[in-house]
Each structure stands twice: as structure tokens, then as C-alpha cells.
Amino acid sequence: MTVTAIVGANWGDEGKGKMTDALAAKSSFVVRYQGGSNAGHTIINDYGKFALHMLPSGVFYPHITNVIGPGTALDIDVLLREIEELRGRGVSEPRIRVSERAQVVLPIHRLFDELEEQRLGAKGFGSTKRGIAPFYADKYAKLGVQVADLYDEDRLLQRLEQSLAAKNIVLTELYCHDPVQARDLLPELLNQAEKLRPYVSDTSRLLHDAYRDGESILLEGQLGALRDPDHGIYPYSTSSSTLAGYAPVGAGLPPYAITRIIAVVKAYSSCVGAGPFVSELGGDAEDQLRRLGGDAGEYGATTGRPRRVGWFDAVATRYGCMLQGATEVALTNLDVLGYLDEIPVCTSYELDGQIIKHTFPITSKLQEANSVLEYLPGWRSDISQIRSFEELPEAAQRYVLFVEELIGVKIGSVSVGPNREQLIVR
Ligand code: GDP
């Protein structure tokens, strides 16, 4: 019996989807517990390549129950489209359960996200414009709509009217936009609610029962530790906690349920959106790493935006693993580094004349930090077909052991390609 959290130790896009898909085979439940459609998990398997935004990564296994927990930002439109896409591409009908307490991303949230990012212009935070920040603002201001509200028209109307009262003043006065009427939102929401109905249930009860019965449960995080609103690079963070510590809350499980925390870490760094990124590259070196990274270059799974890339950042990753409470690390994208003669690694920061290794500076200071690099020999070969650690070229083994030493957490698996089977378990 295990409850495992799979979470990111960096800025997101570490390859959590691939790792979840690979580990899901032995699980009964895969659970999304935070965030919404603002990040995509890339999965490549026998059905083809998928970028899942709303669906948990267990949907390719018919035996798995995929849960969208109360802590998520449920975009019904995206969810229904993704289910349709799976059907269209021949995937067996997945088992999906959506918490009746999950809250719904409304068109008004997407509109506010868009208008605010426009207003901020160059001072924006790199929002994916999926409505996530306005959604969570409403949730904690107690102006949100829960899934269960969709099945009580009077209550839904009243909730929308309450939420729109203040928003319409901001819409007209600040953004010079037409006001939005609650009644106009109803038909589409009620229509979506009917399509969602077969999936809605009390998922907290479901998961507690599964936990009691000793079922294996995977809790799938979105983004990474450095995007956590409390501990990350605020305000260039997301709006819900990306940490394993939040997973039992957002999923609906006891806090002591998690026994295994796999922090997914990339063998180099990548970051989508704005914010300080100490080991960021520039020029040709950046173009080359971006072109060769991931499964088809480092471009955002949600936005298609080119990802910023840099060398492995030990300071940020050590901090990310600490925040996650990692019991082990999955190191992904190791194959990507096979083109280099020598591989730079950011082992510490230089800040105000000091060398920093074990603390992670606050955002304003981070902007002034420089990376201190050490160089490891490269292996200059294709390792994507290798399936055991001992068969890796010596330089690749050394790189893994060096990273392990730097972050102080056991690297339990090494991913050498985007496909499910391209995995080395140590
Ligand atoms: P997630 O949000 O953490 O699931 O990560 P994304 O799917 O956004 O980004 C990870 C990228 O790396 C995707 O393009 C994956 O297909 C790709 N990927 C994952 N693991 C590996 C790996 O070991 N090697 C290579 N080359 N690509 C990988």
C-alpha cells in the first residue's frame, strides 16, 4: 500500500507527466490535487503524443480511477475536450471522477486574466491566461462556484450575481469593458454541467476508502516547487500550492497518508514565463539546448511559448527538493545532454560577494545572483536505448552521482527519453 506524490522540484515541465504515466501501471488511482489547465503534461505512449492539461496522467490505463480533487481549478471545457480527444484517438474510455467540491473556472476568470495581463503589459507575470489567478482569488474570497452548485440553478445564479457585483465595477471602470450579466453565463454552464454529471462524485470519500483498503494512489503535482505561492519566486509563482505537503489537502486524504515523495528534476533547467532564473543561458548555447531539449524542443505544452533554458541549478533544486520533502528524485532528460563535450553545472550562486549554496535567496535578491559553474566531462553519445545504470557511459553515471551529491537526495530513477519505457530504475 503506498500513497506517492509525484511533484516538481524546479519551475515545472520537469517531466512529471511521463513519470506518472510510467509509474501509473501499478496504481489504482491517479489524482490531480491543485492547479488547472495552465500547465500541460506531455505523455508519449502507444496511442501517440498527448498534452494533458486537465486530465490526470493515469487516463491511458483502463484499470485506473483518475480523480480531479477539490483543490483543483476545474476547467470543464478543457476537461470535456480532452476526454473527446482520447475517444477520437482510440484510447479506451478512462475512468474519471470529479470532486463535487472542486471549483469551476468561469469565463469571467479567463476574461479578467486576459485584461489584467494586457493592462500590466511588460510588467506582467507571464500568465497562461487560463483564468487561474482570478479563479483562486475568487475561491479564497468565497466568491467561487463549486461543481455541486451547477446542479442547483437558483443557487448558481445567486453565486454568480454575488461574484459579478464587484467585478462589473472593475470591468467597466478599470478595463473599459462591457459588464457581464449572471444570466448570460447560465445556459453554457448548465449545458456543461449535464455533460460533466456522469463524472461527479464525493472523491474525498472515495479516496479515503481506497486508502483504508490499501490501494495504491498517485498524487500528481502541477508545476514545480519554485512556483509555490508561499515558498517560490513570488510573485512569479502560481496561485495554488505546488508542494507535496498540500497534496493530501487538495486531494482529500489524511496528512500522514503519503509515504513516498518523488521529486522530478530535469538534468538541465527550463522555465516558462517571467521571473528570476539564475542559470539562464543566452545566445547560441540557449538556442541549441532549447532545440535539443524535451521530446521536440523546449516549447510550452500549454502555450507553445519557447521555454527559457539553462544548466542544471543545484541551489534551486536542492531548495526545491527540501520544500517537497523529497524521499527520492527522478532525474529526467539526461539523454538531452549527450551533445556536449563538457557539461556546465551551476553548483552555487555568487551574491553580494558571497558564495551561496544552501539557502535560496528571496526574489529581489535572486535577480542579482550569478551562477557559479563547474564543468563535468560529457559522454557525447545517444543513451536513449540504455535501460540500466551500469550500462550508462561512465561520464553519464558520474553526472548523475554528482547531481545526487549536490542535492543530497537519492536519485531513484533516470529518464533517458520521453517514452514510457525509456526509464532506468536504480
Ligand atoms: P510536466 O508538466 O512536468 O509533465 O512536463 P512537460 O510535459 O511540460 O515537459 C517535459 C518535456 O520533456 C516534454 O516535452 C516531455 O515529452 C519531455 N521528456 C520527459 N522526460 C524526458 C526524457 O527523459 N528525455 C527527453 N528527451 N524528453 C523527456
Side-chain angles (χ1 to χ4, degrees), residues 13-17 40-42 294-295 307 333 335-336 415-418:
D13 308 324
E14 297 94 346
K16 298 176 294 296
H41 293 180
T42 311
D295 67 276
R307 289 179 184 146
N333 285 269
D335 53 301
V336 170
S415 174
V416 290

Side-chain angles (χ1 to χ4, degrees), residues 208-408:
H208 271 268
D209 289 350
Y211 173 64
R212 187 201 51 209
D213 295 345
E215 303 271 12
S216 191
I217 301 171
L218 276 187
L219 305 172
E220 184 185 23
Q222 184 222 35
L223 296 167
L226 300 168
R227 298 291 187 192
D228 184 75
D230 291 310
H231 299 275
I233 50 171
Y234 187 87
Y236 304 100
S237 45
T238 191
S239 306
S240 63
S241 177
T242 55
L243 302 184
Y246 180 75
V249 179
L253 278 167
Y256 47 79
I258 302 183
T259 49
R260 191 177 175 205
I261 298 171
I262 303 176
V264 186
V265 168
K266 233 174 188 159
Y268 50 92
S269 299
S270 74
C271 167
V272 175
F277 182 31
V278 176
S279 74
E280 181 168 20
L281 282 165
D284 289 349
E286 175 169 35
D287 290 345
Q288 194 171 27
L289 181 53
R290 179 181 300 121
R291 193 159 33 80
L292 298 173
D295 67 276
E298 288 289 354
Y299 297 91
T302 303
T303 56
R305 288 186 289 192
R307 289 179 184 146
R308 301 158 70 194
V309 293
W311 305 125
F312 179 79
D313 181 337
V315 185
T317 308
R318 194 184 291 119
Y319 179 66
C321 287
M322 178 188 91
L323 293 179
Q324 294 292 14
T327 58
E328 67 191 270
V329 156
L331 187 71
T332 67
N333 285 269
L334 187 67
D335 53 301
V336 170
L337 298 177
Y339 72 97
L340 290 158
D341 286 329
E342 55 176 13
I343 309 176
V345 175
C346 167
T347 52
S348 57
Y349 294 166
E350 184 276 317
L351 180 63
D352 295 335
Q354 309 259 339
I355 294 296
I356 294 179
K357 277 188 177 172
H358 294 283
T359 54
F360 190 67
I362 53 168
T363 308
S364 54
K365 282 286 173 196
L366 205 54
Q367 262 143 350
E368 297 161 19
N370 297 306
S371 58
V372 177
L373 299 176
E374 287 184 40
Y375 295 82
L376 266 74
W379 48 92
R380 288 212 61 103
S381 61
D382 176 7
I383 58 169
S384 63
Q385 303 309 318
I386 293 177
R387 297 291 175 269
S388 83
F389 188 72
E390 291 68 32
E391 283 168 48
L392 282 173
E394 207 190 319
Q397 293 189 24
R398 240 173 101 185
Y399 187 83
V400 174
L401 297 176
F402 186 70
V403 167
E404 187 174 73
E405 172 89 32
L406 283 173
I407 58 181

